[in-house]
Amino acid sequence: MSVSNGDAPLSLKLLTVNAHKGFTFFNRKFILPELRDAVRAVGPDLVFLQEVLGAHEGHAARFEGWPATSQYEFLADSIWSDFAYGRNAVYPQGDHGNAVLSKFPIVHYENLDVSVDGHEKRGMLHCVIAPPGRAQVHAICVHLGLQEAHRQRQINLLCARIEQEIPRGDPVLVAGDFNDWRLRSHTRLSDCAGLEEVFVRTQGVAARTFPARWPLLRLDRIYVRNTRRFRPLALATRPWTHLSDHAPLAAEVEL
């Protein structure tokens, strides 16, 4: 779905990546500084992060170079002036969740707990972003469950959020780890929320992202609504193959 108005087009580069709490596959090595360098090299305007640590006392004492701030603040540094964090899981030594880094002001954000009782903690972080001189943009960072029934409930909650809280003409960007290896979310999100997945729409199929070194499963997504146009962006294999268990996705969206 696309829209047209009298304003000059605004191009946004998006990146979504499961940060894997700053560790390599199987947690063998702490690589958050390398991850920050890789994100910077892509040069995105908006970064959608999943599994990012807000705090962890044990890791802070154990690993050399552990940042004095939260992981999302460390990643944002001086490049992304605004950021929002949605804490999903809390445990004795710390917490982790989703985060959005933005080069434009985040004027409001809300974290929705979409966990299913007794199972893994999951969330959707909804940010309202205000590029100068432009209409508001809604950016939603998601991390859905591992079980099909849980994902379907969470997709329904996402649809309800978009329907009830977002004006129909506003641009919507939804990205993250959908864990949708059965590829069942596309039709539902198109029908209930008018969302188009960037890779599916342009290449016919969702991108393979897991495991990062030999991607087989199509778990990560970038969905859009009310944009002029969009296109996926190719990312180099290195250094991403050793920075997380998921390969990142990038896209350029014109509003």
Side-chain angles (χ1 to χ4, degrees), residues 109-127:
Y109 71 91
E110 183 176 358
N111 191 51
L112 289 80
D113 184 356
V114 296
S115 308
V116 178
D117 292 344
H119 297 273
E120 71 271 10
K121 296 297 183 181
R122 300 297 186 190
M124 294 189 297
L125 177 62
H126 178 186
C127 298

Side-chain angles (χ1 to χ4, degrees), residues 12-20 35 38-40 42-52 75 80 97-102 123 125 139-144 173-179 197-199 206-210 212 218-224 231-236 240-241 243-253:
L12 299 178
K13 185 181 289 188
L14 316 180
L15 178 72
T16 180
V17 58
N18 186 315
H20 202 235
L35 178 62
V39 172
R40 283 178 169 180
V42 175
D45 300 291
L46 294 175
V47 185
F48 298 75
L49 296 166
Q50 306 88 51
E51 287 194 27
V52 62
L75 291 169
W80 294 272
N98 299 334
V100 172
L101 314 181
S102 175
L125 177 62
I140 304 177
C141 183
V142 308
H143 191 185
L144 303 188
L173 313 172
V174 183
D177 179 359
F178 281 74
N179 276 315
E197 208 284 325
V198 170
F199 290 80
R208 298 180 188 269
T209 59
F210 184 88
R218 308 174 193 273
L219 302 186
D220 302 84
R221 311 284 166 74
I222 300 175
Y223 290 92
V224 301
R231 65 184 182 97
L233 299 177
L235 297 175
W240 293 105
T241 50
L243 294 182
S244 173
D245 55 346
H246 287 246
L249 294 179
E252 187 175 49
V253 176

Side-chain angles (χ1 to χ4, degrees), residues 69-245:
T69 62
S70 65
Q71 287 191 347
Y72 56 89
E73 290 176 280
F74 177 81
L75 291 169
D77 195 29
S78 60
I79 307 298
W80 294 272
S81 58
D82 277 40
F83 47 80
Y85 173 62
R87 185 172 58 184
N88 296 335
V90 181
Y91 27 84
Q93 291 189 318
D95 56 86
H96 73 262
N98 299 334
V100 172
L101 314 181
S102 175
K103 290 185 178 179
F104 303 105
I106 298 176
V107 296
H108 176 74
Y109 71 91
E110 183 176 358
N111 191 51
L112 289 80
D113 184 356
V114 296
S115 308
V116 178
D117 292 344
H119 297 273
E120 71 271 10
K121 296 297 183 181
R122 300 297 186 190
M124 294 189 297
L125 177 62
H126 178 186
C127 298
V128 182
I129 296 168
R134 306 289 302 196
Q136 292 181 337
V137 177
H138 297 263
I140 304 177
C141 183
V142 308
H143 191 185
L144 303 188
L146 296 174
Q147 296 187 35
E148 181 66 36
H150 298 173
R151 289 195 298 275
Q152 291 305 313
R153 289 177 59 178
Q154 291 157 351
I155 288 291
N156 289 338
L157 291 171
L158 174 58
C159 288
R161 179 71 180 186
I162 293 172
E163 173 68 23
Q164 297 168 12
E165 302 294 335
I166 298 179
R168 289 189 177 274
D170 284 5
V172 182
L173 313 172
V174 183
D177 179 359
F178 281 74
N179 276 315
D180 178 31
W181 58 274
R182 292 185 175 181
L183 308 177
R184 294 184 174 178
S185 64
H186 305 311
T187 300
R188 176 62 181 148
L189 288 173
S190 175
D191 291 344
C192 75
L195 292 171
E196 296 180 284
E197 208 284 325
V198 170
F199 290 80
V200 173
R201 185 68 177 84
T202 57
Q203 300 181 358
V205 65
R208 298 180 188 269
T209 59
F210 184 88
R213 292 193 177 187
W214 303 280
L216 296 173
L217 301 180
R218 308 174 193 273
L219 302 186
D220 302 84
R221 311 284 166 74
I222 300 175
Y223 290 92
V224 301
R225 189 178 83 177
N226 291 334
T227 63
R228 295 175 186 256
R229 56 182 62 89
F230 52 79
R231 65 184 182 97
L233 299 177
L235 297 175
T237 302
R238 300 287 294 180
W240 293 105
T241 50
H242 74 282
L243 294 182
S244 173
D245 55 346

